Structure formats: C-alpha cells, structure tokens
C-alpha cells in the first residue's frame, strides 16, 4: 500500500532529465575545479611548493575582474584580470618565496607558512578594498540566456562557456609541456637546474614565471567562476579545501590526475545534491573520497608511486 505523502515514481523522461542535466552541471562544475587545481598542480609539480594561498588568487581574480568589468566590460577583464593576478604571484615568488626557498633544509615548512601568510594578507586586502559583503559580479549579457532546453529545463549558455574555457586551458597546458621546447626547458629546470643554467637559461626567472603562471590560472578560474557562483570574501575558504582534495585524489603533480579528479568530484557532488536521501551529505563526499583514496592508493588515482 502506497503512503499518501510518498512521491510518485519517476517516469523515463524525468529520469533522463535528471541524469542529463546533473551530468552537464557536474561536468561544468568539475571543470571549474580543474581550472583552480591546474595552477596548484603546476606549481607543485615544477617547483615543489604547496601553495596554501592558491585559492586566494582565485578570489583575487574574481574581484579584479569585477572592478575591470565595471570600467572596460567583461571581455577585456577576461584577459587582463588573470595577467594582473599572475603579476602579483610572480612578484611574490621573486621577492618573498625565493628568499625562503634559498634557506635549504626545512624550507618546505617555511614555504607553506609564508604562503599561508599571503592567504591571510589577501583576505584582509579584499575586505579592505571591496568590503565584507558580496559584490554584484554578473554574467555578461551575451551569455546570460539558455543555450538549449531539455524537457523544459534550460541549460545556461555561460556554463557551456565555462566548459570551453577550461578545456581550452587544459589543451594549451598539454601542448605547452609535451609539444614545445619551452615546456621541456621548464620541466628540466626542476630536475636538473644546474644543467639548464649551464645551457644559458635563467632558472630563477623560470621559477618566477611558473609561479606567476599558476597564479594566473587561478585568477582565470576566478574570472570565469566568480560570476557563475558568488564573489565574496569567503569564496577562497569555500573552494580551497576542495581544491586540495582534487590535487591529492588525482595525484600530487599530475595534470591528468587533476582533470580526472575534478570531473569525478564535480559529477559526484552534483548527483548527490539531487538525491534526497544523500543530499545533506553531499559536501562531505569529496573528503570521504579523499580518505578512501589515501587508504587504497596513497599516491592518488593517477599519481606515480614514490620509490
């Protein structure tokens, strides 16, 4: 006997609508996570620095894009904001992190502490300049409407734009590190810095550009994700822990792992939110996945086992 307040069973179109839209939303959210984690993975794999201020660069990118959008519009902000955030990251590496890096033994702890200090400074700076409340950073009008409609439910065009930007970023990074001489020099600078220096390359400058490039990628994620979600002073803390989960689950230093883990977590959380019995536990799922991966495969799903 059916209970009076029990919902009717889902018919086939409703199930297909839930599955398709949840999958699309999960992929778009996962690719935003990848845009965030790619810069962190790049910095760690090439410099060996676990940057605790990485999510703060994401926040800074969103706020800088908001201010530039008010003056120049969204499209110039899409190009300029990541560059400005990248300059901040490069300056931090040149004048702060490099001095810590030169201390040798125990430098990894010092690097983590100084990047944590940077995160605190950026959080206070954002509140000082833009206030403690959220700002009205909006999606551009050209992408404000739906791209298509499935069973009466529209899929936003801006989410498709986010997907294209993230995939374009992944393709550019893949081509850079596998098909160009610059990528080979950057990778060699980590493992054989003296040899690279002897060949006439400025290794400290390479490290500065890598750190600045990783910060710029986080800034780009902020530009694209800040208006799709919420731009407010707590946004770095909201995504920061999830980004570290992505990096560890995918495998520390693995760009492919960051992409795979981002999509896995994005889809997993999106489907969980739409299912009533487990929706309340959706925020916990990435951390449960982290614990499971560390128990079964400590090096991450796509990571290489250390010798």
């Amino acid at each position: 006997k059916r209970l009076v307040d029990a919902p009717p069973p889902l018919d086939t179109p409703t199930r297909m609508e839930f599955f398709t839209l949840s999958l699309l939303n999960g992929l778009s959210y996962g690719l935003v996570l990848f845009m965030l984690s790619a810069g962190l993975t790049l910095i760690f794999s090439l410099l060996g620095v676990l940057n605790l201020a990485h999510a703060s660069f994401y926040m800074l990118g969103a706020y800088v894009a908001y201010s530039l959008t008010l003056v120049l519009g969204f499209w110039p902000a899409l190009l300029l904001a990541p560059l400005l955030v990248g300059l901040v990251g490069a300056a931090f590496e040149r004048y702060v992190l490099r001095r810590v890096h030169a201390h040798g033994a125990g430098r990894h702890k010092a690097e983590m502490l100084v990047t944590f200090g940077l995160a605190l400074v950026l959080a206070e700076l954002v509140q000082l300049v833009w206030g403690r409340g959220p700002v009205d950073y909006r999606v551009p009008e050209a992408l404000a409407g739906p791209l298509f409609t499935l069973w009466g439910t529209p899929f936003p065009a801006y989410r498709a734009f986010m997907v294209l930007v993230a995939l374009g970023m992944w393709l550019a990074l893949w081509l850079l590190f596998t098909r160009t001489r610059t990528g080979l020099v950057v990778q060699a600078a980590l493992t054989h810095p003296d040899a690279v220096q002897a060949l006439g390359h400025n290794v400290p400058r390479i490290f500065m550009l890598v750190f600045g490039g990783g910060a710029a990628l986080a800034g780009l994620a902020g530009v694209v994700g800040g208006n799709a979600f919420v731009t407010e002073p707590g946004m770095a803390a909201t995504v920061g822990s999830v980004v570290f989960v992505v990096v560890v689950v995918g495998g520390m230093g693995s760009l492919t792992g960051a992409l795979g883990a981002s999509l896995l977590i994005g889809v997993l959380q999106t489907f969980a939110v739409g299912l009533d019995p487990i929706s309340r536990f959706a925020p916990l799922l990435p951390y449960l996945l982290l614990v499971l991966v560390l128990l079964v495969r400590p090096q991450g799903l796509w990571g290489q086992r250390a010798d």
Side-chain angles (χ1 to χ4, degrees), residues 8 13 39 85 133-134 174 226 229 232 262 271 284:
V85 175
W174 182 79
F229 303 106
E232 49 91 19
S262 298
F271 272 94
L284 297 176

Side-chain angles (χ1 to χ4, degrees), residues 68 71 84 92 95 156 168 171 191 211 229 233 241:
L68 291 176
V71 179
L84 293 175
F92 175 76
Y95 296 105
L171 180 61
T191 55
F211 195 93
F229 303 106
S241 58

Side-chain angles (χ1 to χ4, degrees), residues 1-11 14-15 274-277:
K1 183 178 180 180
R2 184 181 301 276
L3 296 175
V4 175
D5 58 346
L10 295 177
D11 53 21
T14 304
R15 289 176 179 175
L275 298 174
D276 288 336

Side-chain angles (χ1 to χ4, degrees), residues 42-43 46-47 89-90 93-94 98 176-177 181-214:
L42 181 68
I43 292 172
L46 298 178
L47 303 184
E93 195 284 333
R94 171 64 180 84
R98 186 176 302 180
L176 173 66
F177 289 109
R181 182 173 178 270
T182 301
L184 295 177
V185 170
V186 169
Q187 295 180 73
L190 175 64
T191 55
H192 301 86
D194 294 335
V196 173
Q197 188 80 29
L199 291 174
H201 300 286
N202 190 328
V203 173
R205 180 180 298 175
I206 292 174
F207 288 170
M208 180 184 70
L209 293 177
V210 168
F211 195 93

Side-chain angles (χ1 to χ4, degrees), residues 4-84:
V4 175
D5 58 346
L10 295 177
D11 53 21
T12 301
T14 304
R15 289 176 179 175
M16 288 298 298
E17 177 185 2
F18 169 75
F19 177 81
T20 305
L21 292 175
S22 295
L23 180 62
L24 291 174
N25 289 328
L27 291 176
S28 62
Y29 172 58
L31 286 171
V32 172
L33 290 179
F34 168 70
M35 294 175 68
L36 258 168
S37 60
L40 182 61
T41 300
L42 181 68
I43 292 172
F44 181 80
S45 62
L46 298 178
L47 303 184
V49 176
L50 190 58
N51 180 18
L52 298 182
H54 192 73
S56 298
F57 288 128
Y58 162 77
M59 174 182 64
L60 187 62
Y63 274 99
V64 171
Y66 162 72
S67 296
L68 291 176
T69 299
L70 296 178
V71 179
L72 303 174
F74 174 77
W75 301 108
L78 179 65
L79 298 176
L80 293 177
L83 292 177
L84 293 175

Side-chain angles (χ1 to χ4, degrees), residues 23-273:
L23 180 62
L24 291 174
N25 289 328
L27 291 176
S28 62
Y29 172 58
L31 286 171
V32 172
L33 290 179
F34 168 70
M35 294 175 68
L36 258 168
S37 60
L40 182 61
T41 300
L42 181 68
I43 292 172
F44 181 80
S45 62
L46 298 178
L47 303 184
V49 176
L50 190 58
N51 180 18
L52 298 182
H54 192 73
S56 298
F57 288 128
Y58 162 77
M59 174 182 64
L60 187 62
Y63 274 99
V64 171
Y66 162 72
S67 296
L68 291 176
T69 299
L70 296 178
V71 179
L72 303 174
F74 174 77
W75 301 108
L78 179 65
L79 298 176
L80 293 177
L83 292 177
L84 293 175
V85 175
L87 289 176
V88 173
F92 175 76
E93 195 284 333
R94 171 64 180 84
Y95 296 105
V96 180
L97 194 61
R98 186 176 302 180
R99 297 175 183 272
V100 175
H101 191 81
H103 286 308
R107 64 179 177 85
H108 293 295
K109 293 180 181 179
E111 288 169 350
M112 292 178 64
L113 289 174
V114 75
T115 56
F116 178 71
L118 176 63
L120 297 178
V121 170
L122 291 178
E124 293 297 325
L125 179 64
V126 162
Q127 295 181 58
L128 180 65
V129 176
W130 287 280
R132 297 182 180 274
V135 297
D136 189 20
Y137 180 30
R138 299 184 180 182
V139 170
E141 293 185 5
L143 299 172
L147 181 64
F148 55 83
T149 301
L150 285 175
W151 296 286
T153 303
F155 184 77
Y158 191 74
R159 283 193 174 268
F161 171 73
M162 293 164 62
V163 169
L164 290 178
V165 172
L167 291 178
M169 188 186 75
W170 172 78
L171 180 61
L173 290 174
W174 182 79
L175 291 175
L176 173 66
F177 289 109
T178 61
R179 295 293 186 271
T180 66
R181 182 173 178 270
T182 301
L184 295 177
V185 170
V186 169
Q187 295 180 73
L190 175 64
T191 55
H192 301 86
D194 294 335
V196 173
Q197 188 80 29
L199 291 174
H201 300 286
N202 190 328
V203 173
R205 180 180 298 175
I206 292 174
F207 288 170
M208 180 184 70
L209 293 177
V210 168
F211 195 93
L217 292 180
L220 176 61
V223 177
V224 175
N227 51 9
F229 303 106
V230 181
T231 299
E232 49 91 19
M235 62 190 298
T238 302
V239 301
S241 58
V242 179
V243 170
F244 279 99
V245 170
V246 168
V247 172
V248 175
V249 169
M252 297 292 286
S254 172
L255 196 62
T256 301
L259 177 60
S262 298
L263 294 177
L264 176 61
I265 291 174
V267 172
L268 183 66
Q269 275 198 293
T270 304
F271 272 94
V273 168

